[in-house]
Structure formats: C-alpha cells, structure tokens
Amino acid sequence: MTIAFDFTVTTARMEDFRSISGDDNPIHFDPSFARDRGFDGPIVYGGLLIAEVSRLLGTALPGPGCVWQSLTMKFRRPLLVGERAQLEAEVKHETPHLGIRLIRLTISSGGRRIAEGEAMTLLPEPQSACEAAE
C-alpha cells in the first residue's frame, strides 16, 4: 500500500513553528543570511517536515489511533519556504495481528529527494466495552 500527498510550507507556518519551538536560526527566515550560506532562500525547518509525517501517519496511513513506535529521517537536501513538495509513504512490512506496520517515507520536490526514512507504527484494535472495563 502506498499513499502520497502534496504540501507547501508557507511563511506563516514557518513563523508559527519559530514561535512554538523558539528556534530563531536566521537560515529559516532571513533571505540574505540563507543566500550567504549557499541556499536560494530560507529553508524549511526539519521539524515542519516531521509534522507532515505526523499528519500522514495520524490521518491516512495507518490513520486515526496510530501510535509511533519509532521514526528515522535522513535529510538529503533543503526544502525552500513556499516550494511545493510531496510526501510518499509505503507499507514495507505489516504484522496485522499485532497492528504493527513498517512504513517507508520519502519527501521530494521538483525531482529532488529532500528526505527519506521509515516509521514503525502501532494501530491498536478498538476495545469493546467489556474489555475496557476489565
């Protein structure tokens, strides 16, 4: 099973993350600073790319009720603020009776691989009212 969706990290989302995280590294918001370091403009926080992974895992694959057991990501190239990207997830292994899935993750933009990694997820079965009372 494979699922993919497009996303774009806006300046507003960058400012929200900056406020929440306290990460005020100018490479993420100062175009001159970013260009002086060899980038075409401000680069997206890695934490916001992980947030896109969280959205995918919690809403689509495996979906509501999902609990992460592990997540690894390798960042290969920067994503620029305002640049359209795609997150793709593919189930590589599944243990249905335990609700465990190993999911391969790839983030790309304009033919460039931005990041890749994998997540191990648990999707517990809903408990019946009798099981929950025990």
Side-chain angles (χ1 to χ4, degrees):
M1 172 183 229
T2 301
I3 190 166
F5 67 84
D6 293 338
F7 67 94
T8 303
V9 177
T10 64
T11 301
R13 289 189 65 209
M14 291 289 288
E15 285 297 325
D16 289 345
F17 187 84
R18 180 179 173 191
S19 175
I20 290 167
S21 70
D23 182 349
D24 61 359
N25 181 345
I27 203 150
H28 297 296
F29 60 87
D30 183 331
S32 295
F33 187 92
R35 279 193 294 279
D36 287 347
R37 267 98 188 141
F39 301 103
D40 290 336
I43 61 175
V44 171
Y45 288 102
L48 280 174
L49 298 178
I50 298 299
E52 292 295 338
V53 170
S54 178
R55 179 168 65 115
L56 181 136
L57 296 175
T59 63
L61 182 67
C66 162
V67 177
W68 293 5
Q69 292 185 308
S70 65
L71 175 68
T72 60
M73 290 297 288
K74 183 177 284 189
F75 298 96
R76 301 223 173 257
R77 291 181 176 84
L79 180 66
L80 299 178
V81 176
E83 196 173 24
R84 188 176 188 87
Q86 182 178 68
L87 172 58
E88 182 177 302
E90 178 185 7
V91 175
K92 295 304 287 181
H93 180 76
E94 188 170 13
T95 309
H97 67 282
L98 297 176
I100 295 173
R101 289 180 180 87
L102 178 63
I103 301 170
R104 185 179 59 94
L105 303 160
T106 305
I107 299 173
S108 59
S109 178
R112 300 179 346 264
R113 184 162 293 197
I114 303 299
E116 59 194 10
E118 65 182 29
M120 179 79 69
T121 64
L122 174 64
L123 186 61
E125 289 290 321
Q127 294 183 353
S128 69
C130 293
E131 290 174 318
E134 292 178 3

